[in-house]
Amino acid sequence: MNNMPNIEQANTMTESKISANKVQVYYGDTHAIKDVDIEIQPRSVTAFIGPSGCGKSTFLRTLNRMNDTIDICRVEGSIKIDGEDIYDPKVDPVQLRAKVGMVFQKPNPFPKSIYDNIAYGPRIHGLARNKAELDEIVASSLQKAGLWEEVKNRLDEPGTGMSGGQQQRLCIARAIAVSPEVILMDEPCSALDPIATAKVEELIDELRENFTIVIVTHSMQQAARVSQRTAFFHLGILVEEGLTEDIFTNPKDKRTQDYITGRFG
Amino acid sequence: MSLTFILLALLVLAVVGYMVGRGKALSSAGGDARELHSLPGYYGWNVVVSTLVPSLLLLVAWLFVQPIILNSQVSSRISEETIAASSLDLVMSDVVRVAEGLDVAVSQGGMSSDEASSLRTELTDVRSRLGQVGVALGSDVTSETLRAAQTYRSISSTGYLLRSIAVLAVAIAGLAFGVMRTNKDFRARNVVEAAVRYLLIAAASIAILTTVGIVLSLIFNTVEFFRLYPASEFFFGLVWSPSFGGGSELGIVPLIWATLYISLIALAVAVPIGLFAAIYLSEYATPHVRAIAKPLLEILAGIPTIVYGLFALLTVGPLLASFFGSGGALGVNWMSGASSVFTAGVVMGIMLIPFVSSLSDDIINAVPQAMRDGSLGLGATHSETVKQVILPAALPGIVGAILLAASRAIGETMIVVLGAGAAARLSLNPLEAMTTVTAKIVSQLTGDADFASPEALVAFALGMTLFVITLGLNIVALYIVRKYREQYD
Amino acid sequence: MTDTTLTPPSGNANAPAPRRIQSILELDPLTKKRNAAEARFKLYGIVAIAIGLFFLVALLWAILSNGLGAFSQTFIKVDVPLVQSQIDDAEKSVVKTSKYRAIIDEAFAKELAGANITTDMSDKDLQKLFSSGAAATVRDFALANPDKIGTTVTFDLIASSRVDGYLKGRVEREDLAEDKNLDAAHLDLADQMADAGILEKRFNWSFITGTDASDSRPEQAGIGASMIGSLFMMLVVLFLSLPIGVAASIYLEEFAPQNKFTDLIEVNISNLAAVPSIVFGILGLAVFIQFMHLPQSAPLVGGLVLTLMTLPTIIISTRASLKAVPPSIRDAALGVGASKMQSIFHHVLPLAMPGILTGTIIGLAQALGETAPLLLIGMVGFIASNFPDGVAAGFFAPNSAMPAQIYEWAKRADPAFYERAWGGIIVLLVFLMTMNIIAIILRRRFERRW
């Protein structure tokens, strides 16, 4: 999957999708994320790896301002998507999150029908002018998520009545339905069995043709499989970032080397 | 020997038994407590248990049985004609009154005990004799009544004597048995702990006994009522007008109508306010605001209903009448007095606000955070998340809460007694006074009706209906809430 | 991933659906609408809370503004000479109080003359300024203090309820047009007396300590007797429901096996907690009064009924307290060889005590305010005109209780009695507040976080 090095290098010359500069995150008095600078490339998969508690999920959640829901959390520095600072006071997080979607660790379908689960996002953002358009969005999202064949005859059944892997793909379809440009995934496969994991990884690889994907994972093998670029976090600091190949075969920082060879984490 | 003395005697026996038992145990171990199976105290308690348990049980049984035997013995001496002229209950209560009057006379020295037993109506004016010692009788005493009263007294005193002897004998036997069993290897602690466990079970069974008591006291009297008044007319009759001379119409429909109408208004007030307050407090409020507003709203729940009743009668009612009554600000004449369905309904709604609010709060908090995250992550606003994700998920629980609030509203008494008036009518105008099931239970049982008449017994039928309705609502509500909780497990 | 679908989506399956791509720095009009809806929704919540709090404030205001008046009472100061011969005369006659009234009239006339207040009202009319109980007050004093006979004693005699109402603003001159007892001339006189210092409004202790009075003397009605009745009732409730409730909870929490009998008990308890209070009143009437022939309207019977009502509440809160004690405590006790019962009574129960006491106090507070069951066991229409004369009488003699007394006053449809009812509510609420505060303090000081 990582066999397009030339095009990847060409991409780094074009504008980054997400551009983070000197980002700090505080939980109350605790300085959780320190001085992170990173560029996320469009239409590619970037993986955040690191031992548990190193801050990768926290940093991920700054990218769609999900941290706003936590009162004691404070973000400093600049995070720009398409050149626009997402923490600008003029920005309504509601609009931001239509552009930057999220898939969570544990599948969390709503207790509604499968159709309504997918239709929820487009409905609140007013993306469909009539039922026919809504049907189309639902169908195409389910197709892109690879679920259409399995559920096309039971769209009225509750979204909670599926297996874990199917539920997670449902959540991915739900995120796709609002046509985001970026999809953030916070350990999406950690609650799934290996077969479901494989399906989701396959899906991620297909999705990257049209979406920018950032995935947090605690599995280095997964990072190696799905991502083009990888960032290694440790104790709230971005230690090293670069092409996945390079990180895994030729890490520059000793901490990265220790993590990859299993010395810790 | 009076009850108090028997109990005191039992107490003394128990104390003696404790000391003897403990002493014997210690001496059987040669004074060394370590040789005993259980702590020395347990041996004492063991004797106490075997002294008190059989004797107290006997005493309680006697207390139930003696009046029954007494009643049947004495009433068999009353002639048929006397019973036919009034009723057995009334005759018996006369007999008891005379007997108690004789007791008072003897105890105050107004007559000797022999005199009391040999008194005859032909020779003495019993009524005035008793009047001299302060016992007032409503009518002259017939000779039959007097003889029955004298029989009552003699059987009673024999009964009391036998009771004392039997109970004390059993207690002493128990004491002896307990002491006999005492020696250092006897497992006193196990015996005592088994007795304690039975006591605990008995305490827990009081809940069942209470329910049984409620059901029985309702059923017996309801059955009695339906013998005097046809059930179909009770359940389907549209008119409620009891008259204490007979010829009452006792239809429950107007009462049920008013009860439901008032509950509807109460819910219309309490549910929106309570639900929105709960939503705001659990989803939007800062912990600081929540810590102040929530206890303040809870105060409304702690205020006794009599206060709400007075509030309805004296504050809300006149206020509404000043708008809707004649001479009022709106110049209409829809409301004739302060009491009305609307008055009671609004005040009841106020009382139910914290009830709905705290139940809804629990239910909303039970919805997992993952659901909120999923919705917010898709770019929904907080209110969209609440309206389209959280509330639909919490709906069964909220429905259960509403049913429980309805049950509370239907069973409420003081607010409707004071706030809704006493007239039973079937009307659509909420500004009219309409009385409810609970208010009528109070008025029929505290009025002047003779206790065996249908006008008084109807209160039990009303009570039975109320009990069944509220029980049904509670069961349905709990079923819905439990089913809903399984959704997230 | 193949595309065999029934509703083929338009265009390339892999292209994102067409959408206006715009800057997040500009607010979409739809977003503005959604934010407005958000603000409205929050507003509904705030309004709801505000309405709830408004009702609370309105209720408290109604209680205080109407009830505080009951704590003050209008008194008329009269110097009454107690002449032995007059008193002997009075005692000999059949209707003693009328003679005492004459004594008061004489003294009052002198008083008015001394204050330069002239009036052409007859003595009989002047009498109406006083409460009909004024004569009894003088008589009781004279009989109790024979050593004061021969002197002149200054009495503070209670004024009639209409005069009292006038001073409190309850009664206007127009209201007296129909009154057969007083008229405007009386009120003018009252004004003059007030100016002269003979008539004044003072704090009324006897409202709190006194007994109820008959219909015609609302000015003498007090809540003291009912307080004692409530006290005895609460004693019964405390001494019955606490042990039984704790015993039942211990059984259900620690010993009960998972079988049908236990389920039956649990179902019964949760049902009983939701049964309307009036049904308990019916139970009390049928079992305690009709079957067991206990005296009607006795605090003992009221206490028994309220015990049955409070038991489910106490059981539920006690079970929660017992559950909160961690299993490690029980295990530790068993580990040193204590029996199960010893571990419970020596270790678990003492640790759960603060929670149990808190729950009991709250249960007692709820029971204190209950009215409906008391009405059915006879406390309606009962005038609590005496204090019970002993502990046994306290339990068995008919008495009233605070909520029933308040209801009784409310039924009498007299504004003076309404004021007493509101005043009674203030007393009741003071008790409830105290009990709840004690419970909260208990919880704060002794609650352990495991």
Side-chain angles (χ1 to χ4, degrees):
Chain A
M1 301 196 193
N2 287 336
N3 50 6
M4 303 155 65
N6 294 329
I7 304 176
E8 290 305 319
Q9 273 162 8
N11 267 346
T12 53
M13 305 299 184
T14 62
E15 254 179 49
S16 325
K17 186 72 176 169
I18 305 180
S19 174
N21 227 304
K22 293 225 177 325
V23 175
Q24 329 282 345
V25 178
Y26 296 89
Y27 275 114
D29 291 328
T30 318
H31 196 167
I33 303 276
K34 310 175 181 104
D35 279 336
V36 171
D37 295 320
I38 189 171
E39 308 286 321
I40 310 279
Q41 304 306 322
R43 294 182 209 262
S44 70
V45 181
T46 307
F48 291 173
I49 61 173
S52 30
C54 64
K56 42 193 203 292
S57 285
T58 308
F59 183 69
L60 189 77
R61 291 164 74 99
T62 62
L63 299 178
N64 69 348
R65 292 184 62 170
M66 274 303 273
N67 285 329
D68 285 5
T69 59
I70 302 172
D71 289 328
I72 54 170
C73 185
R74 206 172 75 238
V75 176
E76 285 170 18
S78 104
I79 302 182
K80 293 200 171 112
I81 298 187
D82 286 340
E84 295 172 334
D85 182 3
I86 64 175
Y87 281 89
D88 189 305
K90 286 195 285 234
V91 172
D92 189 332
V94 160
Q95 268 183 238
L96 172 66
R97 293 180 196 139
K99 194 165 173 174
V100 181
M102 191 169 226
V103 175
F104 298 86
Q105 187 169 343
K106 193 160 173 304
N108 55 2
F110 302 132
K112 299 171 186 277
S113 68
I114 294 177
Y115 184 91
D116 284 328
N117 260 284
I118 312 285
Y120 179 71
R123 275 195 185 117
I124 55 177
H125 289 290
L127 297 177
R129 283 166 299 195
N130 51 46
K131 180 95 174 21
E133 279 188 21
L134 192 60
D135 286 347
E136 213 178 275
I137 295 178
V138 171
S140 93
S141 307
L142 283 169
Q143 282 186 322
K144 287 181 218 157
L147 259 188
W148 178 249
E149 286 305 311
E150 294 164 53
V151 302
K152 67 184 178 201
N153 292 321
R154 47 185 184 111
L155 291 175
D156 285 333
E157 282 179 22
T160 42
M162 301 191 288
S163 73
Q166 285 175 318
Q167 283 188 9
Q168 192 64 303
R169 281 184 285 149
L170 178 69
C171 292
I172 295 176
R174 185 174 71 184
I176 294 175
V178 296
S179 306
E181 293 171 27
V182 179
I183 302 181
L184 306 175
M185 299 196 179
D186 191 351
E187 302 196 32
C189 301
S190 58
L192 304 180
D193 63 76
I195 298 179
T197 302
K199 282 212 174 119
V200 171
E201 286 180 7
E202 201 185 300
L203 179 56
I204 293 177
D205 196 53
E206 283 162 6
L207 289 175
R208 74 178 166 96
E209 292 178 35
N210 294 296
F211 301 96
T212 305
I213 301 184
V214 183
I215 174 170
V216 164
T217 177
H218 63 261
S219 157
M220 287 181 284
Q221 294 79 13
Q222 183 172 74
R225 284 194 296 269
V226 302
S227 67
Q228 286 77 60
R229 296 188 73 87
T230 301
F232 170 61
F233 284 83
H234 183 47
L235 295 178
I237 301 177
L238 174 59
V239 174
E240 198 176 331
E241 188 264 339
L243 292 173
T244 303
E245 259 183 354
D246 295 341
I247 296 282
F248 281 106
T249 56
N250 200 7
K252 296 196 190 67
D253 193 299
K254 182 172 189 306
R255 288 171 287 183
T256 321
Q257 172 134 23
D258 286 343
Y259 178 69
I260 288 172
T261 53
R263 281 265 177 85
F264 66 90
Chain B
M1 217 197 212
S2 84
L3 200 55
T4 331
F5 280 130
I6 296 186
L7 289 175
L8 277 175
L10 286 178
L11 189 64
V12 167
L13 279 175
V15 170
V16 166
Y18 179 88
M19 295 194 303
V20 169
R22 192 171 178 278
K24 181 173 181 221
L26 274 178
S27 67
S28 81
D32 187 357
R34 289 173 297 180
E35 296 284 320
L36 294 172
H37 169 268
S38 326
L39 291 172
Y42 282 109
Y43 292 94
W45 281 112
N46 167 54
V47 177
V48 170
V49 165
S50 54
T51 309
L52 286 183
V53 169
S55 53
L56 281 176
L57 284 176
L58 178 63
L59 183 60
V60 169
W62 201 286
L63 282 173
F64 272 105
V65 165
Q66 174 162 325
I68 298 179
I69 296 186
L70 190 58
N71 232 322
S72 66
Q73 284 286 337
V74 174
S75 49
S76 65
R77 314 246 168 157
I78 312 268
S79 66
E80 294 290 325
E81 303 108 42
T82 328
I83 299 180
S86 68
S87 83
L88 184 57
D89 280 337
L90 288 174
V91 172
M92 280 309 295
S93 59
D94 274 340
V95 170
V96 173
R97 220 171 303 143
V98 172
E100 284 170 359
L102 288 171
D103 282 336
V104 169
V106 170
S107 69
Q108 289 197 351
M111 63 173 78
S112 75
S113 170
D114 286 333
E115 254 195 281
S117 335
S118 59
L119 216 52
R120 287 281 170 272
T121 49
E122 295 81 357
L123 303 172
T124 333
D125 183 355
V126 182
R127 188 174 175 207
S128 64
R129 268 310 278 284
L130 291 181
Q132 282 172 353
V133 286
V135 177
L137 293 174
S139 58
D140 281 329
V141 180
T142 69
S143 105
E144 188 184 40
T145 315
L146 180 62
R147 275 203 292 275
Q150 288 163 333
T151 318
Y152 183 92
R153 286 189 72 230
S154 72
I155 298 185
S156 281
S157 62
T158 323
Y160 288 140
L161 183 64
L162 284 178
R163 179 179 75 183
S164 316
I165 297 177
V167 168
L168 288 176
V170 166
I172 294 177
L175 196 153
F177 175 67
V179 170
M180 259 191 344
R181 282 207 298 179
T182 304
N183 67 61
K184 68 177 167 69
D185 294 319
F186 176 59
R187 299 181 169 210
R189 181 171 55 73
N190 301 36
V191 170
V192 173
E193 289 191 348
V196 172
R197 195 159 51 244
Y198 281 119
L199 261 181
L200 296 181
I201 295 182
S205 317
I206 289 193
I208 302 185
L209 278 179
T210 311
T211 311
V212 166
I214 291 179
V215 170
L216 283 182
S217 54
L218 286 174
I219 283 191
F220 275 142
N221 285 305
T222 308
V223 161
E224 185 64 31
F225 171 68
F226 284 141
R227 280 204 286 134
L228 297 173
Y229 193 90
S232 58
E233 277 183 43
F234 173 71
F235 284 114
F236 299 112
L238 294 177
V239 178
W240 174 274
S241 75
S243 62
F244 294 119
S248 324
E249 289 186 69
L250 299 169
I252 199 180
V253 173
L255 304 179
I256 297 257
W257 167 253
T259 304
L260 292 177
Y261 203 167
I262 293 180
S263 306
L264 193 68
I265 296 180
L267 288 177
V269 169
V271 172
I273 297 181
L275 193 56
F276 270 103
I279 291 175
Y280 186 83
L281 286 174
S282 58
E283 295 290 324
Y284 290 101
T286 61
H288 186 67
V289 166
R290 201 181 139 91
I292 297 183
K294 205 160 189 297
L296 280 180
L297 282 179
E298 292 295 320
I299 293 182
L300 282 174
I303 294 183
T305 53
I306 176 84
V307 179
Y308 281 111
L310 225 71
F311 187 58
L313 178 67
L314 297 179
T315 307
V316 176
L319 187 68
L320 288 174
S322 72
F323 281 112
F324 295 108
S326 60
L330 292 180
V332 295
N333 191 10
W334 293 332
M335 196 168 173
S336 48
S339 301
S340 74
V341 163
F342 196 62
T343 316
V346 165
V347 174
M348 206 188 288
I350 298 176
M351 178 191 76
L352 288 175
I353 290 177
F355 191 75
V356 172
S357 166
S358 80
L359 282 178
S360 308
D361 191 77
D362 288 341
I363 293 167
I364 291 175
N365 280 330
V367 175
Q369 185 64 23
M371 212 107 313
R372 291 183 183 81
D373 282 345
S375 174
L376 290 175
L378 285 170
T381 61
H382 205 162
S383 64
E384 283 162 357
T385 307
V386 170
K387 279 188 286 193
Q388 298 186 33
V389 175
I390 297 183
L391 281 184
L395 197 62
I398 292 182
V399 167
I402 294 179
L403 287 180
L404 284 175
S407 163
R408 186 98 166 63
I410 288 176
E412 175 49 46
T413 311
M414 293 322 292
I415 299 183
V416 293
V417 163
L418 288 172
R425 59 167 73 95
L426 268 177
S427 158
L428 274 178
N429 180 4
L431 294 166
E432 279 185 44
M434 282 182 248
T435 194
T436 65
V437 173
T438 48
K440 279 303 140 198
I441 294 178
V442 172
S443 71
Q444 296 308 109
L445 283 178
T446 55
D448 297 322
D450 166 25
F451 224 77
S453 68
E455 286 78 19
L457 288 175
V458 71
F460 292 96
L462 289 174
M464 183 100 229
T465 315
L466 185 73
F467 184 65
V468 167
I469 294 180
T470 51
L471 197 65
L473 276 176
N474 290 332
I475 291 179
V476 170
L478 285 174
Y479 171 72
I480 292 182
V481 170
R482 199 177 303 158
K483 247 190 86 165
Y484 151 81
R485 251 191 252 285
E486 286 167 6
Q487 205 181 348
Y488 286 118
D489 290 340
Chain C
M1 193 171 67
T2 52
D3 270 8
T4 52
T5 64
L6 295 169
T7 54
S10 54
N12 187 348
N14 275 336
R19 199 170 131 258
R20 288 178 318 208
I21 309 230
Q22 61 177 73
S23 153
I24 53 174
L25 290 174
E26 275 169 38
L27 273 184
D28 199 291
L30 181 63
T31 311
K32 285 208 195 94
K33 268 180 32 187
R34 292 164 64 197
N35 284 336
E38 167 87 9
R40 273 200 307 273
F41 193 72
K42 274 177 79 166
L43 190 64
Y44 296 152
I46 296 180
V47 165
I49 296 182
I51 293 180
L53 293 180
F54 163 72
F55 283 137
L56 179 65
V57 169
L59 190 61
L60 289 177
W61 176 86
I63 295 172
L64 286 176
S65 67
N66 285 316
L68 282 177
F71 290 95
S72 66
Q73 178 66 43
T74 310
F75 290 94
I76 300 178
K77 209 200 305 273
V78 183
D79 293 325
V80 180
L82 296 174
V83 179
Q84 184 73 50
S85 58
Q86 279 181 331
I87 291 180
D88 289 339
D89 228 4
E91 288 301 317
K92 282 204 205 91
S93 70
V94 176
V95 185
K96 305 178 174 50
T97 46
S98 70
K99 290 285 189 318
Y100 279 97
R101 238 178 256 153
I103 299 177
I104 298 177
D105 289 341
E106 233 188 276
F108 185 50
K110 284 211 200 81
E111 187 102 11
L112 287 179
N116 289 328
I117 302 175
T118 50
T119 171
D120 43 349
M121 288 202 276
S122 70
D123 273 352
K124 228 167 165 279
D125 279 338
L126 282 178
Q127 256 178 31
K128 294 186 187 149
L129 281 173
F130 292 89
S131 156
S132 46
T137 313
V138 174
R139 173 170 186 249
D140 289 339
F141 181 83
L143 291 178
N145 300 292
D147 49 318
K148 287 274 190 341
I149 300 181
T151 64
T152 300
V153 181
T154 307
F155 282 96
D156 278 317
L157 296 172
I158 304 183
S160 95
S161 61
R162 295 286 176 271
V163 174
D164 185 50
Y166 172 65
L167 255 80
K168 289 176 182 166
R170 239 191 303 132
V171 170
E172 308 279 329
R173 288 201 157 81
E174 304 87 56
D175 298 330
L176 287 183
E178 317 250 328
D179 196 298
K180 47 181 158 49
N181 283 326
L182 296 188
D183 56 40
H186 280 105
L187 297 184
D188 292 330
L189 194 58
D191 282 334
Q192 291 180 302
M193 287 161 62
D195 289 333
I198 302 176
L199 183 80
E200 62 167 359
K201 216 166 38 137
R202 282 201 342 251
F203 189 75
N204 183 12
W205 279 110
S206 67
F207 176 67
I208 303 177
T209 57
T211 60
D212 192 11
S214 64
D215 278 358
S216 60
R217 294 178 287 132
E219 59 277 356
Q220 286 198 310
I223 202 169
S226 342
M227 270 205 283
I228 302 286
S230 280
L231 174 70
F232 276 101
M233 253 198 282
M234 287 302 118
L235 283 177
V236 173
V237 175
L238 179 65
F239 284 120
L240 283 180
S241 62
L242 184 57
I244 298 180
V246 170
S249 306
I250 292 179
Y251 175 69
L252 288 171
E253 265 312 296
E254 310 283 340
F255 289 103
Q258 282 286 3
N259 60 21
K260 282 241 160 71
F261 182 65
T262 311
D263 283 344
L264 188 64
I265 297 183
E266 308 238 0
V267 163
N268 265 302
I269 291 178
S270 49
N271 276 334
L272 282 176
V275 166
S277 59
I278 192 151
V279 175
F280 281 101
I282 295 181
L283 172 69
L285 178 65
V287 171
F288 297 126
I289 304 229
Q290 288 181 332
F291 182 68
M292 289 172 62
H293 296 295
L294 291 175
Q296 264 204 349
S297 187
L300 177 69
V301 181
L304 286 170
V305 173
L306 291 176
T307 302
L308 292 178
M309 271 185 63
T310 319
L311 262 176
T313 316
I314 292 190
I315 291 179
I316 291 174
S317 75
T318 305
R319 285 186 75 176
S321 308
L322 288 172
K323 251 200 259 273
V325 177
S328 55
I329 303 272
R330 296 176 181 79
D331 289 344
L334 292 176
V336 296
S339 71
K340 185 155 185 196
M341 200 157 288
Q342 283 170 328
S343 78
I344 294 171
F345 281 98
H346 296 170
H347 300 279
V348 177
L349 195 58
L351 289 173
M353 243 335 151
I356 296 177
L357 284 179
T358 309
T360 307
I361 293 178
I362 292 183
L364 281 179
Q366 284 178 353
L368 186 63
E370 274 299 332
T371 320
L374 300 180
L375 299 183
L376 290 188
I377 59 159
M379 283 192 186
V380 67
F382 178 79
I383 299 186
S385 44
N386 298 308
F387 282 103
D389 28 80
V391 175
F395 287 110
F396 288 99
N399 198 348
S400 186
M402 281 195 282
Q405 179 72 82
I406 293 171
Y407 172 71
E408 186 52 41
W409 283 336
K411 264 190 359 173
R412 291 186 189 166
D414 176 343
F417 274 117
Y418 284 156
E419 181 190 65
R420 306 269 144 179
W422 287 112
I425 286 181
I426 293 182
V427 175
L428 181 64
L429 286 182
V430 164
F431 274 107
L432 288 180
M433 211 170 55
T434 316
M435 288 169 84
N436 275 304
I437 290 180
I438 293 179
I440 293 179
I441 293 181
L442 247 186
R443 190 186 295 163
R444 291 258 169 91
R445 270 202 69 189
F446 292 108
E447 190 181 32
R448 301 171 77 120
R449 270 167 230 289
W450 298 102

